Amino acid sequence: MEDQDQFLSPLIGRENEEAKDEDLAAPSGPAEQVFYSTVSSLDRKPSLSSDEDGDIYCPTTGRRGDNLDGPSSEPTDRQVEQDPQDRDTHRPDQLAESWMGYSGPGCGILSLQVTDRYVWCLDFKGALFCSSLPETGLNWQRFEDNVHQVAVSPSGNLLWKVEQRTLTAFACAKVSAKGKRHWYKATEQTAFVALSDDSAWIIRTNGDLYLQTGLSVERPCARSVQVDVPCVFSQVCVSGGAVWALSEHKALFYREGVTSYCSEGGGWRYDTVSEAQGLDLMCVSLAEGGTAWALDASGSLWFRTGICPSRPQGEDDHWWQISISDYVVFDQGSLIQTLLAATQSVATVTRAPVERVVAFLSQHSQCQPSLVSANQRGVWVASGRNQLHLARGSLVGTFWQNVVPRGTVSSTRWTSIASSAVPHREGSLLWLAQSRKDLFCVWDQDGELRPSSVPLPPEMEVFHLSACPDALWVLDSQGRVSIRTLSPSCPSGLSWTLLDLSQLGSVRLVSVSCGRQNVWAVDGRGNVYFRVGTQPMNPSMMLPAWIQIDPPAQPIGVQLVSVQTSPNDRLLWALDNRGSVLVRTGLSDEMPVGTDWEAVPGLLVSQLVLSCRTVLVRCPNGDVARRYGVSDRNPAGDYWKKVPGSTNWLTVTPDDELWAVTLIGGLSRRLTKLLPQTLGRPSPSGPSLSGDDDEWELI
């Protein structure tokens, strides 16, 4: 190109200028775009399924150049046309996040910076790449080499780099004259830089912190003023008048007193929220709109909201976790292992000997990774597999709140939990077991969660229980069933009735599940039984009949061990002794027993729970996953997606509230927060990398 920008020094005096003329690197070529969609397929035809490959997260590969505005969690016209019984599934929390993946440039991603119009990536070899954000994908171009760290202001008007060899920070300034790009010296011995639209926060290699203010396109760097620090910082981030810092020991701090008149602020405060949750934060980022993002050492993504100069710590008293599918972020252990793996891949590509790999690791040991950033399009995350991932649309954050019922202590250990709707009242009843001999009942709308003891029949030990609005069924290890009738006047019931199972002969039941009107059961041989009526006797004082249902065709030695119905009798799912999941199809008011069984691939499962519209499972390792796309017309759903957290036991209320017994036996409730994303177009007033706008230029 003939049109090129020239950058002149903003520093006072020609004798203080240290300009560097560098030839512009050739474009690296367009990167291959990979498209992943985990949006619920409720808006698609029921025949379409993302479970064909049996993958838990089931990424769907789209055509090259798919529109960035493709999938989102917002209802489509086709969704609006669906049956009324399916419309309640279109709440934001009923749709999975929509993640889009792109191939990164160079050799791995060490630092990620996004503005409203551009995305910048720094690789492990010090190559800086940039791409605009057109609607057809990313087109990477090589911008600089030998870069240790890069910083870009939110508007994109300011750009700083730290050189690898000298650790000197340089800034760009723009003029309209033709010529080569110039970098001007901003400060020496620089470890990390963070930019706002008018200031720069600089961490020196000796741990000192400095601030430059009054910056602009014409004056991208200025004189530095030292700022006090309580300890050595490894990262600083700034946005919207808020300043956060991460120490070298991963402690989080925020700056108080920052205003438009006092960019320096008044002092640092330690963030007790992160400490209380025990998060091992690796990198943090502040986004426009008052949202903070963070990645921890295990690759989990977290956010907090309400961050502003008057409340720099934000409005949340805890971090909210975003579920990121394994194909999005780190699937091989910690972030450190991911960085190590990426470093080793660089050595393989360059055929470097072991000594050079060790030297490379030593050189980057002081390099602070910045792998999460956000703009108006959503939140961007970089993985160790040289991939970028963008979450579009609304996101649902999770926080597991530890709960101690009144009259108990935090050391109380629970073994299982079940739930049922409360007749003629809001909320649900929680049935908590401390052992096979101790059972308690709690109303989840009681602010103090006062438990009431539920005495068990003599000689009975709880092996399995299931509850519905008017009955509690308890199954013991001998296959005997006792029923406790529930009523509005006595929600926890008064007495037990031993169920007459003489019709079944010598059959020993191992699982029972109660719906609104129907009961399902499985015996020790894997046979399935169905009956109408949850009470011991029907209104005619007759014993309801059990109907045997053909079990699914299974290989020799494989049989059903558990069955679970939804509170409204519209769904029936089951588990076999291999941990495989099956669903009963054809359920309707006219055919309450259904017509056939269908396998649901993708996961090995230890426990299965259903609400009126949600299916959740607990895996053998304690992980929790949810099935998306489940409806009357598509009872098997479309795909699994992991829910943040790990549990020993699980239940979901008819209203989709999730409760769990933690790994150490405590009681926990899942809280959620909807984070709406502004999907507005970037402002045309921002800088452009094309020559037409006479701003940043790439060749």
Side-chain angles (χ1 to χ4, degrees), residues 351-414:
R351 294 182 174 83
V354 176
E355 292 78 11
R356 288 184 61 188
V357 175
V358 174
F360 184 89
L361 281 172
S362 300
Q363 176 184 356
H364 286 78
S365 62
Q366 301 299 321
C367 221
Q368 168 64 33
S370 300
L371 304 181
V372 59
S373 188
N375 62 3
Q376 290 185 5
R377 296 176 180 267
V379 58
W380 294 72
V381 179
S383 75
R385 292 187 293 268
N386 195 31
Q387 293 176 348
L388 293 173
H389 308 274
L390 167 64
R392 299 294 305 274
S394 299
L395 299 173
V396 178
T398 290
F399 174 71
W400 286 96
Q401 180 186 51
N402 293 326
V403 176
V404 180
R406 183 178 180 180
T408 66
V409 294
S410 59
S411 60
T412 301
R413 295 295 173 254
W414 307 97

Side-chain angles (χ1 to χ4, degrees), residues 151-418:
V152 186
S153 63
S155 66
N157 289 328
L158 301 179
L159 175 66
W160 282 38
K161 72 169 183 178
V162 179
E163 278 197 341
Q164 277 186 340
R165 293 184 297 270
T166 64
L167 296 181
T168 300
F170 291 88
C172 279
K174 185 272 298 183
V175 294
S176 58
K178 294 170 60 176
K180 295 183 179 181
R181 181 167 67 251
H182 293 261
W183 291 94
Y184 297 98
K185 182 177 178 181
T187 182
E188 296 179 337
Q189 298 301 309
T190 307
F192 192 89
V193 176
L195 294 176
S196 71
D197 285 331
D198 61 0
S199 65
W201 292 80
I202 305 154
I203 302 175
R204 293 280 183 88
T205 54
N206 63 358
D208 291 341
L209 180 66
Y210 285 83
L211 172 65
Q212 293 187 8
T213 59
L215 306 186
S216 63
V217 174
E218 292 74 21
R219 188 173 182 260
C221 57
R223 300 189 184 279
S224 300
V225 177
Q226 188 169 0
V227 180
D228 65 294
V229 290
C231 57
V232 176
F233 290 158
S234 62
Q235 183 188 4
V236 176
C237 53
V238 54
S239 179
V243 182
W244 283 22
L246 195 63
S247 77
E248 60 178 353
H249 298 298
K250 308 309 176 187
L252 186 62
F253 295 82
Y254 57 88
R255 189 77 172 169
E256 289 186 322
V258 177
T259 65
S260 57
Y261 304 102
C262 181
S263 301
E264 180 180 342
W268 295 101
R269 290 291 298 273
Y270 178 61
D271 180 54
T272 57
V273 171
S274 303
E275 181 186 34
Q277 284 185 253
L279 297 185
D280 185 14
L281 301 180
M282 295 300 298
C283 53
V284 293
S285 175
L286 293 177
E288 295 293 327
T291 304
W293 294 93
L295 278 172
D296 66 14
S298 65
S300 298
L301 179 63
W302 307 79
F303 74 85
R304 278 159 63 180
T305 59
I307 297 162
C308 59
S310 60
R311 186 187 290 177
Q313 73 275 24
E315 64 185 13
D316 299 318
D317 57 2
H318 52 75
W319 287 92
W320 299 91
Q321 185 176 359
I322 293 292
S323 176
I324 305 183
S325 302
D326 277 358
Y327 70 79
V328 174
V329 191
F330 325 100
D331 61 350
Q332 298 193 0
S334 70
L335 177 60
I336 299 300
Q337 292 171 329
T338 305
L339 296 177
L340 178 61
T343 302
Q344 292 172 339
S345 67
V346 172
T348 302
V349 171
T350 58
R351 294 182 174 83
V354 176
E355 292 78 11
R356 288 184 61 188
V357 175
V358 174
F360 184 89
L361 281 172
S362 300
Q363 176 184 356
H364 286 78
S365 62
Q366 301 299 321
C367 221
Q368 168 64 33
S370 300
L371 304 181
V372 59
S373 188
N375 62 3
Q376 290 185 5
R377 296 176 180 267
V379 58
W380 294 72
V381 179
S383 75
R385 292 187 293 268
N386 195 31
Q387 293 176 348
L388 293 173
H389 308 274
L390 167 64
R392 299 294 305 274
S394 299
L395 299 173
V396 178
T398 290
F399 174 71
W400 286 96
Q401 180 186 51
N402 293 326
V403 176
V404 180
R406 183 178 180 180
T408 66
V409 294
S410 59
S411 60
T412 301
R413 295 295 173 254
W414 307 97
T415 57
S416 65
I417 182 173

Side-chain angles (χ1 to χ4, degrees), residues 1 3-7 24 117-118 120 143 155-158 172-177 179 181 216-218 684-699:
M1 288 187 182
D3 294 334
Q4 296 176 335
D5 291 340
Q6 184 180 21
F7 302 90
L24 298 175
R117 300 187 63 181
Y118 300 100
W120 300 78
F143 194 81
S155 66
N157 289 328
L158 301 179
C172 279
K174 185 272 298 183
V175 294
S176 58
R181 181 167 67 251
S216 63
V217 174
E218 292 74 21
S685 61
S688 170
L689 291 177
S690 66
D692 297 337
D693 290 357
D694 196 27
E695 295 279 356
W696 297 111
E697 182 175 339
L698 285 173
I699 297 180

Side-chain angles (χ1 to χ4, degrees), residues 26 40 68 147 192 195 322 410 469 500 515 593 612:
S40 174
L68 271 172
V147 178
F192 192 89
L195 294 176
I322 293 292
S410 59
D500 185 354
V593 297
C612 293

